[in-house]
Amino acid sequence: MSNFGCGCNRNLCVTLAIFASIIIGFVTAILTITATIAVTPAFLWVTGGIAVVFLALLLGVSPALSKAGRRNCICNVLYTFLTGVLGTILTSVVLLAVTFAATSVVGAIITGALLLFFSLLIISTTCLIKCIIDCDD
């Protein structure tokens, strides 16, 4: 199976981004279920909007990224980046469409997933910048 010219190696930045995002998502779910924090519709619109803007920006700069010198590094980060973008959009839409009780377990899990994907989006953006600038791990 072709990997679209991208290598299979994960770099340290992507690994740390995934672990940090999992921790952020878990802590968010715990804080939501204990009613310590509450997510407002405005926050959901903002996170969804940011993800859509990042996706549009990626579409705009994709020709330049495909010609970049560190294609292997960029491709590895792009998988994580796109997971963050699509996960953020999906969980934002679910939380906007369905009303959950403040201490709902399912609502807390989906809110935790939202912050997991949103933090993955933000952290993988920094990894992508690192790859474009051509820094080593």
Side-chain angles (χ1 to χ4, degrees):
M1 183 171 142
S2 175
N3 203 10
F4 303 108
C6 299
C8 297
N9 298 333
R10 295 277 180 208
N11 61 20
L12 180 62
C13 187
V14 170
T15 305
L16 291 175
I18 292 169
F19 285 131
S21 297
I22 289 170
I23 291 169
I24 291 169
F26 182 74
V27 168
T28 301
I30 296 295
L31 291 175
T32 303
I33 203 164
T34 59
T36 305
I37 61 171
V39 176
T40 64
F43 178 75
L44 300 174
W45 281 106
V46 168
T47 56
I50 288 171
V52 169
V53 167
F54 272 44
L55 190 60
L57 287 174
L58 178 64
L59 179 64
V61 300
S62 60
L65 289 177
S66 67
K67 296 176 184 160
R70 300 221 22 196
R71 185 178 176 129
N72 185 28
C73 175
I74 290 171
C75 286
N76 286 326
V77 175
L78 276 180
Y79 295 131
T80 309
F81 179 82
L82 288 173
T83 301
V85 166
L86 296 176
T88 300
I89 293 170
L90 177 68
T91 53
S92 293
V93 168
V94 167
L95 287 169
L96 282 168
V98 180
T99 304
F100 293 101
T103 57
S104 166
V105 174
V106 175
I109 291 171
I110 296 174
T111 303
L114 171 66
L115 267 290
L116 181 147
F117 289 124
F118 188 67
S119 61
L120 187 64
L121 168 65
I122 300 300
I123 299 170
S124 64
T125 301
T126 61
C127 294
L128 188 59
I129 292 168
K130 182 180 172 210
C131 285
I132 292 169
I133 294 175
D134 201 24
C135 293
D136 293 326
D137 283 330

